[in-house]
Amino acid sequence: MAAAPVRPMVPRAAYPGLSGFALVLQPFAERAQVRLLTSLSPAVRAADQLGRIDLAALRAEFTARLTERLARTAARTLVLELHTARAAGRLAGGTPQERFRSFLALTARREGLAALLRSYPVLARLLARACLDAADAHAELLDRFTTDRALLVAGLLRGRDPGALVAVTADAGDRHRRGRAVAVLHFANGTAVVHRPRPPAAHRHFNALLGWYSGRPGVPRLRALGLLDRGSHGWTEYAEARPCLTRYDVERFYRRQGALLALLHVLDGTDLHFENLVACGDHPVLVDVETLFHPPADASGTASASAPASGAASASAPDSASGPAEDPAARALAESVHRVGLLPQLLIGDDGAVDVSGIGGGCTGRRLSPVDGVDWSAAGTDEMRLVRRPRPFGEAHNRPRLGGAPVDPAEHTEALVDGFRAGYAALAAGRDDLTGPRGLLRCFADAEVRVVPRATRVYARLLDESTHPDVLREAGARQAVLDLLRTDAVDDPGRPGLADHEVADLWTGDVPFFTARPGSRDLWTSDGRRLPRELAATGLARAEAKLAALGSVDRKDQEWIVRAAMAGAAGTPAHRPGRPVPENVWATAPEPEQLLAAARGLGDQLVAAAYQGRSRTNWLGLELLADRYWRVRPLGADLAGGYTGTALFLAQLAALTGTDRYAEVARRSLAPVPGLLDSLAAHPGHPAAVGSGAFAGLGGIAYALAELARLLGDPLVAAWTGPAV
C-alpha cells in the first residue's frame, strides 16, 4: 500500500487577516524568488558582496510583500473552498481555529494546491502573472540602482554614502506596464530615494520652469524636488514631511500653494490629490507631475485624472447627463483651477466624507474611509467570510502642522488667494517667455506625460471584483466583468475607443496606462502602441490658449472658485450672525426704491456671472450633499439653489423693471428643463430619488415653472408645468 501523502506542518498559531493563506501560496512566492535571483545581474551580486545591498533582507521583504498580494488575489476563492470543505465534513478539529488549520494543511499540499488550480485556471494565470512581473520588475529596479548608485550618492544624497540598501517599498503607487510601480528605497543610515520607472523628462522640464517662475516679480520661491534623469527612468529625492515653526511659516506655505495652483492651472495639471504633495516646513512640494498637459474630458473623451467624487440624489442629477459640452457652467468648471485637484474634493460614502485633495489632506489620525472596502470577518477560523466595511484611510502628509496639530486650510484662504493672484499675474506678464517656437513650454513637446481615461478607483474596483471565484473558473466569465468598462454599468464613461487596451492591462493585474506627448495629438498604450490623433488638440496648444486668455475677468472667476471651494470645506461657518433685528423694524426698513435698486444690483451680478453657451445659460454655485457637505458645482434644477430659482428671481426683476435682459437670461437658463423632464419620465427611479420637496425637489421645480410661465408670458414654459407636477 502506498503511503499517505504527508501534510505540511501548520503551526498552532493565530492567523489574522489573510496570513493563513500565505502557507497555501508559498510555492508561488518561492518560485518568484528563484526567478528574481536568476535574473539579477553580476553587478547586483557584486554590490551585495561589497555591502552596498543587503540582498538577504531584500529577498525576504520581496517574498513577504508578494505573498500578501497573492493572498489578496486568491482570498475569495480560498474562503469559498474553506466553506465547501467544512460543509463536506473534510476538516478535522474541535474548534474553528483547528478546522481552519486543517484546511490549510489539506490545501497547502502539492495535491491540494494542484486541485485548487485545476478548478480555477484563471486564478492560476493571475497568480503566475503576478509572480513573473514582480520578479522581473524587482530585478530591473536593483539593476538600475546598482548602475546609478554613484550618481545618486553624488547628486540626490549630496555626496554622503548612505550605506547598504536595506529595504524597498515596491508598491508606492499603482502598478503599470507589467508590475512596474514607484518605489521608495531605504538605506542603512536612514535616508531614502524614490525610483520612478518611467521617463522623467517632464519632471526635469517642470523643475526648470519652476526656476523661471520663482524668479518672477511677486511670486514666492517654490521648491523643486531633486531629480536624477536617466532617460528610461529617474530618481527623485524623498520629500520628508516637516512641521512649520511659526504661523508666519503657515501663511507662506499657503501663499506658495496658491502660486503653485496658478502654474498647474495653466499647464493643465491634474491629479494633485493628498498623496502627491508633501508639506516640507513652509514649502508645499509636488512629488508627482506625470499628468501635466492632461486633455480635458469634453475635448478628448478622457476624464480628469483620478480625483474621487461621489454624487447625491438631487434634482440636478438627471440634468447632468448633458455633460460639460452642453452646460457652459460645467465646461467652465472642468477648465478651471478646480480641475487641478488641489482644491477640496470630497469622497462621499455611506459613512461620511473625506477630502482627498492636495489641500485637504485626507484624514488625520486613525480615521476610516467613508467608502466601504473588502475586509474579512472571523479570519483564521472556518467561519471566515467576506464583509464590506470602512477601511483605514491612509495618513496624509500634505497639510502643514503647527504645534503638533494639522492646520485648517480654510483659515488661510486669503494667503492662498494672494499667492494665486501673484502667480496668475506673473504668468500673464510672462506669456511671451512661455509661448511660441522658442518658449519655455516648447521643452515639454516630446516629454512623456500620463493620460488617465477614467478615475483609477474604477480600475481598482474592477480588479478587486474580478477575483470573485465565479469568474476565476473560466476566462470568459472574467472577461465579461472587465467588459463592464464598455457599458453604462461603470459610472465613469471614459473613452470607448480605449476599452480594448484598458481590458488588456487589467488582465495582467495592472492599472491601465496611457501616455501622450504635449506636442502631439497621439496617444500611446502601455505596450508602446501608437494611437494616431486621439486628442482634439495638443497639450501645448491648450496651454498656450489658456495663457492667451488670462485676464482680469477670468482671474476673478478663478478666484471665486478658489474661495467657494475653500468655504465649502471649512470646518466652521464662513458667515457669522449679524446684529439683532430692531424691535420697530418698520422704522428702519428701506424705501421700496432702495430695495429695487439692490435687487437690480443682484440681477446685474447674476447676468455678469452667468456662463453663456450656444443654447443655454447656467451658473456655478455650492451644492449641499447629504445635508452636511458642500461642493462647487454647476447649478441643478432645484428651486432653492438651482437655475429655476435664479430664473424666477430674474423674471420677477424683469417684470418690475421692464428690463428685457433679465427675462432673456431667465429664458435661456430654462433650456435643459424639457430634457430633465424626459429623463425623469424615462427612468422611474429618478423621480423618487429627486423627491417632491418644495426647495430641492419636483414641487419647487413645478412651482417655479408655473410662476415663470406667468411672469414671462411664455406658453412653452407653461406646457412644462403639467409634466413636472
Side-chain angles (χ1 to χ4, degrees):
M1 174 182 285
V6 178
R7 297 184 180 182
M9 295 296 295
V10 177
R12 295 181 60 85
Y15 290 96
L18 301 178
S19 59
F21 296 150
L23 293 175
V24 176
L25 301 170
Q26 188 173 349
F28 278 94
E30 291 173 350
R31 293 303 301 171
Q33 187 180 127
V34 171
R35 183 181 178 90
L36 170 64
L37 293 175
T38 56
S39 300
L40 294 177
S41 67
V44 174
R45 298 182 182 279
D48 179 44
Q49 295 174 357
L50 293 172
R52 295 174 178 172
I53 292 179
D54 187 344
L55 195 54
L58 297 182
R59 285 168 51 194
E61 183 183 45
F62 167 81
T63 303
R65 287 182 179 273
L66 177 59
T67 304
E68 181 181 349
R69 178 183 167 192
L70 298 178
R72 290 196 301 270
T73 301
R76 299 188 193 205
T77 300
L78 288 171
V79 167
L80 175 62
E81 292 297 304
L82 169 66
H83 287 204
T84 301
R86 182 184 64 179
R90 297 199 304 268
L91 302 183
T95 67
Q97 291 79 12
E98 290 175 351
R99 290 190 292 272
F100 181 79
R101 290 195 295 269
S102 174
F103 171 76
L104 296 182
L106 287 170
T107 314
R109 295 183 303 171
R110 177 186 295 271
E111 296 83 355
L113 184 57
L116 176 75
L117 300 179
R118 282 195 299 270
S119 298
Y120 300 95
V122 178
L123 174 62
R125 171 181 173 177
L126 297 181
L127 296 174
R129 182 78 268 162
C131 290
L132 293 172
D133 290 347
D136 293 347
H138 212 69
E140 178 183 82
L141 169 62
L142 295 179
D143 187 54
R144 287 175 172 178
F145 166 73
T146 304
T147 302
D148 299 342
R149 187 181 188 278
L151 295 174
L152 285 170
V153 172
L156 297 182
L157 298 177
R158 299 173 178 81
R160 295 189 294 272
D161 192 303
L165 175 64
V166 295
V168 175
T169 304
D171 290 329
D174 293 327
R175 288 185 294 274
H176 309 291
R177 291 174 170 170
R178 295 301 177 96
R180 273 67 177 172
V182 173
V184 181
L185 283 69
H186 304 271
F187 299 99
N189 71 346
T191 59
V193 295
V194 180
H195 172 255
R196 302 187 179 277
R198 298 181 283 279
H203 203 142
R204 174 165 49 85
H205 299 317
F206 180 76
N207 283 358
L209 186 60
L210 274 186
W212 170 88
Y213 187 50
S214 296
R216 304 297 296 179
V219 177
R221 183 178 66 85
L222 298 173
R223 176 183 160 187
L225 198 66
L227 171 70
L228 175 62
D229 184 352
R230 298 293 287 154
S232 63
H233 62 281
W235 305 87
T236 59
E237 64 174 306
Y238 182 76
E240 193 78 44
R242 299 195 311 275
C244 289
L245 300 178
T246 67
R247 189 169 181 83
Y248 177 65
D249 288 342
V250 176
E251 289 288 297
R252 288 199 301 183
F253 177 93
Y254 283 106
R255 193 168 187 277
R256 288 186 167 112
Q257 200 165 53
L260 185 63
L261 176 62
L263 180 61
L264 292 172
H265 168 56
V266 166
L267 296 180
D268 276 331
T270 64
D271 206 27
L272 190 53
H273 54 74
F274 69 95
E275 293 177 317
N276 282 343
L277 191 140
V278 176
C280 300
D282 58 357
H283 282 274
V285 178
L286 188 60
V287 299
D288 191 345
V289 297
E290 67 178 4
T291 54
L292 295 177
F293 301 96
H294 199 279
D298 54 342
S300 68
T302 58
S304 63
S306 59
S310 179
S314 71
S316 64
D319 185 35
S320 65
S322 58
E326 298 182 25
D327 185 343
R331 175 181 285 273
L333 185 63
E335 296 174 352
S336 74
V337 291
H338 197 265
R339 180 178 183 241
V340 173
L342 176 71
L343 298 174
Q345 307 267 346
L346 291 179
L347 175 63
I348 300 175
D350 294 336
D351 298 291
V354 62
D355 186 355
V356 296
S357 68
I359 203 168
C363 298
T364 55
R366 294 184 60 84
R367 289 182 57 189
L368 301 177
S369 169
V371 178
D372 287 349
V374 170
D375 201 359
W376 300 97
S377 175
T381 75
D382 67 339
E383 298 169 355
M384 185 175 181
R385 67 186 185 279
L386 183 148
V387 294
R388 296 185 185 274
R389 56 191 173 199
R391 302 284 293 159
F393 203 90
E395 184 180 359
H397 300 287
N398 62 314
R399 282 170 59 179
R401 301 179 71 88
L402 182 64
V407 171
D408 182 359
E411 296 179 359
H412 303 275
T413 299
E414 290 309 312
L416 183 74
V417 173
D418 183 55
F420 177 81
R421 186 181 299 124
Y424 190 104
L427 291 166
R431 58 167 61 96
D432 290 342
D433 292 345
L434 298 170
T435 59
R438 297 186 178 181
L440 293 174
L441 297 187
R442 190 60 51 178
C443 297
F444 289 91
D446 296 320
E448 180 181 284
V449 292
R450 187 181 171 199
V451 174
V452 187
R454 66 180 92 229
T456 53
R457 68 179 183 276
V458 174
Y459 299 134
R461 182 168 185 182
L462 278 175
L463 284 171
D464 182 48
E465 297 298 337
S466 63
T467 61
H468 191 284
D470 288 348
V471 303
L472 296 183
R473 298 180 187 274
E474 194 267 325
R478 187 169 193 259
Q479 180 71 31
V481 172
L482 301 182
D483 279 341
L484 290 174
L485 282 174
R486 311 175 196 273
T487 71
D488 294 336
V490 173
D491 62 354
D492 191 332
R495 184 177 175 85
L498 301 182
D500 288 344
H501 306 289
E502 291 175 296
V503 170
D505 283 350
L506 291 170
W507 261 109
T508 68
D510 288 339
V511 170
F513 190 78
F514 299 90
T515 59
R517 312 291 184 269
S520 169
R521 290 176 54 191
D522 300 340
L523 281 181
W524 281 262
T525 65
S526 62
D527 57 1
R529 277 182 283 182
R530 185 173 183 167
L531 308 177
R533 304 177 70 82
E534 282 284 332
L535 305 178
T538 69
L540 288 180
R542 291 192 307 271
E544 290 185 348
K546 188 171 284 189
L547 280 164
L550 297 181
S552 59
V553 174
D554 176 72
R555 177 179 60 78
K556 290 178 180 178
D557 288 344
Q558 304 303 326
E559 288 183 14
W560 183 90
I561 292 173
V562 173
R563 292 182 187 278
M566 297 300 292
T572 55
H575 300 285
R576 299 293 184 266
R579 290 174 297 179
V581 177
E583 292 184 10
N584 187 2
V585 68
W586 298 107
T588 59
E591 294 295 325
E593 291 79 7
Q594 292 178 290
L595 291 173
L596 188 58
R600 277 182 176 272
L602 291 174
D604 291 340
Q605 289 183 46
L606 286 171
V607 171
Y611 292 95
Q612 306 289 346
R614 291 190 301 271
S615 60
R616 66 173 293 193
T617 294
N618 202 7
W619 295 264
L620 291 176
L622 283 170
E623 179 185 28
L624 180 62
L625 301 174
D627 295 326
R628 292 179 59 191
Y629 309 105
W630 295 91
R631 66 174 178 180
V632 179
R633 295 287 291 172
L635 295 192
D638 56 284
L639 175 66
Y643 57 77
T644 58
T646 307
L648 180 56
F649 171 80
L650 291 173
Q652 290 172 330
L653 188 59
L656 289 170
T657 64
T659 305
D660 289 340
R661 72 174 184 276
Y662 299 139
E664 178 58 27
V665 173
R667 284 191 183 91
R668 284 179 53 83
S669 69
L670 297 176
V673 168
L676 170 63
L677 297 176
D678 289 344
S679 178
L680 290 171
H683 300 85
H686 283 173
V690 171
S692 59
F695 298 108
L698 280 165
I701 294 173
Y703 168 79
L705 292 176
E707 286 294 290
L708 283 160
R710 179 181 62 82
L711 292 165
L712 298 175
D714 193 327
L716 184 60
V717 177
W720 300 337
T721 307
V725 172

